[in-house]
Amino acid sequence: MHPMANTEQGNQTSITEFILLGFGDLPELQILLFLLFLVIYIATVTGNILIMALVVADRHLHTPMYFFLGNLSCLETCYTSTILPRMLAGPLTGDRTISFNGCVTQYYLFGSLLATECLLLSVMSYDRYLAICNPLHYAARMSGRACLQLAGGSWIGGFLGNSITTLSISQLTFCGPNGIDHFFCDLIPLVKLSCNDPHLMETLAFILSFLFSLVPFLLTLMSYISIITTILRIPSTTGRLKAFSTCSSHLIVVSIYYATLLIVYMFPTTDILNDFKKVLSVVYAVLTPLVNPLIYSLRNKEVQEALRKACRKFMLGLR
């Protein structure tokens, strides 16, 4: 379905494509940004695929924590791939257009994966809460079936939740201009281009951001507060410091991720905030998938050991 745009002399034509304006037209900046985002994309996909491969291949990583980390890596590979290849193609081909259907599809996939990640991060914090604060009940509560239900619920919830917004976007009327002031098709820049009253869509965006960002963030925060309280009771200083450094790094990354999302989707968009929100979008859409494998997985002894074993096997296979 294509939105209709009113033109002069009473003619009606369809806006069949949008132009992704990205970060402006400075040629020197474009080359630098292209190289930067290309390196980030390769590193993100490599890091996350590596984690998935290790979690599947090494039986020592067949635990609830690594099952959720594998899901997170899969998620981040997918959602980086919905944005960055299209964004990298623009400067290479000189074509920044995206069809209306392509734009709606990109928004649907990205928004769904984003909502899924918010839910999955709160599930992961609940898993750590049970492991540290209720270790005796951990095995019973985090059975294989429970893990599948929690992970599956996150994926289904994210995709169903974003279906409502995507359906609403497809019903909007666009009268032109067709330049999206962003580097991908996102809800607020699209709503700004429509000729409909934006209040209904802004309210819907606020409600969904509340349900999929603020609520999971508060649940995650509660889990980490309980975890930190338990850690502070550990008698050994070394044990306390080790557990605290791991949890604090997780909490910092999660807080930055949720905070950027809440500012972008729950704060009203003004001209002053517009460019700031675009920069924040880079944090949750590009940088978080890059740092998550490092923060959550590659610092863990079990993952490092699994990586060493995989490298040894690979080297032996080459001989």
Side-chain angles (χ1 to χ4, degrees):
M1 171 184 171
H2 291 301
M4 300 304 293
N6 292 319
T7 56
E8 290 173 73
Q9 287 132 6
N11 289 335
Q12 281 202 323
T13 59
S14 293
I15 285 184
T16 55
E17 59 184 27
F18 294 106
I19 299 159
L20 292 166
L21 301 176
F23 295 97
D25 286 318
L26 299 167
E28 308 82 20
L29 188 66
Q30 291 305 319
I31 298 160
L32 184 68
L33 286 174
F34 173 79
L35 292 171
L36 178 67
F37 286 124
L38 179 65
V39 170
I40 287 173
Y41 182 57
I42 293 166
T44 302
V45 171
T46 308
N48 282 298
I49 288 175
L50 179 65
I51 305 282
M52 281 189 280
L54 289 174
V55 168
V56 171
D58 197 304
R59 60 186 181 81
H60 293 106
L61 302 183
H62 292 179
T63 63
M65 183 175 92
Y66 291 109
F67 170 71
F68 293 131
L69 281 171
N71 269 272
L72 184 69
S73 290
C74 174
L75 229 166
E76 300 200 313
T77 305
C78 294
Y79 99 60
T80 311
S81 299
T82 61
I83 295 179
L84 286 179
R86 183 71 198 77
M87 186 179 158
L88 292 166
L92 271 186
T93 59
D95 178 19
R96 291 187 182 179
T97 58
I98 185 167
S99 69
F100 175 75
N101 289 338
C103 195
V104 172
T105 305
Q106 188 189 54
Y107 169 71
Y108 175 63
L109 290 172
F110 178 74
S112 302
L113 292 162
L114 204 64
T116 303
E117 175 149 354
C118 287
L119 297 174
L120 191 64
L121 286 171
S122 65
V123 165
M124 286 165 68
S125 68
Y126 173 65
D127 169 67
R128 291 299 81 209
Y129 160 76
L130 282 180
I132 294 165
C133 304
N134 287 301
L136 298 175
H137 299 122
Y138 182 71
R141 289 201 194 167
M142 276 294 163
S143 62
R145 191 179 171 193
C147 289
L148 282 172
Q149 285 172 341
L150 286 166
S154 300
W155 284 88
I156 293 163
F159 276 80
L160 281 180
N162 200 47
S163 302
I164 303 162
T165 335
T166 310
L167 200 64
S168 306
I169 285 176
S170 69
Q171 305 302 314
L172 293 175
T173 309
F174 294 89
C175 336
N178 66 342
I180 297 173
D181 189 14
H182 215 321
F183 57 92
F184 67 97
C185 292
D186 202 7
L187 177 66
I188 293 154
L190 269 172
V191 170
K192 278 177 78 178
L193 289 181
S194 80
C195 347
N196 307 71
D197 181 8
H199 290 103
L200 184 66
M201 284 300 288
E202 282 169 1
T203 307
L204 181 64
F206 183 86
I207 292 165
L208 287 170
S209 298
F210 178 83
L211 292 174
F212 287 97
S213 302
L214 189 60
V215 173
F217 175 54
L218 293 174
L219 292 172
T220 304
L221 202 58
M222 281 160 61
S223 295
Y224 276 112
I225 289 166
S226 302
I227 289 166
I228 289 164
T229 311
T230 306
I231 287 169
L232 293 174
R233 293 199 201 107
I234 295 172
S236 137
T237 314
T238 319
R240 195 161 58 225
L241 283 172
K242 189 187 165 200
F244 194 76
S245 77
T246 305
C247 283
S248 58
S249 61
H250 286 192
L251 187 57
I252 288 163
V253 170
V254 163
S255 299
I256 291 169
Y257 177 74
Y258 282 121
T260 52
L261 277 179
L262 294 170
I263 293 167
V264 169
Y265 293 106
M266 293 187 81
F267 276 57
T269 305
T270 60
D271 289 338
I272 301 162
L273 268 180
N274 196 40
D275 288 336
F276 179 57
K277 283 190 174 188
K278 210 191 282 187
V279 173
L280 289 183
S281 299
V282 175
V283 175
Y284 69 77
V286 180
L287 298 180
T288 307
L290 174 69
V291 298
N292 274 354
L294 298 169
I295 296 292
Y296 285 106
S297 308
L298 296 172
R299 291 171 66 208
N300 292 10
K301 281 207 173 87
E302 295 100 322
V303 175
Q304 288 169 3
E305 185 53 40
L307 191 56
R308 272 195 291 272
K309 279 199 295 192
C311 288
R312 276 200 297 272
K313 269 188 189 172
F314 180 71
M315 295 311 286
L316 286 169
L318 287 177
R319 282 177 189 171

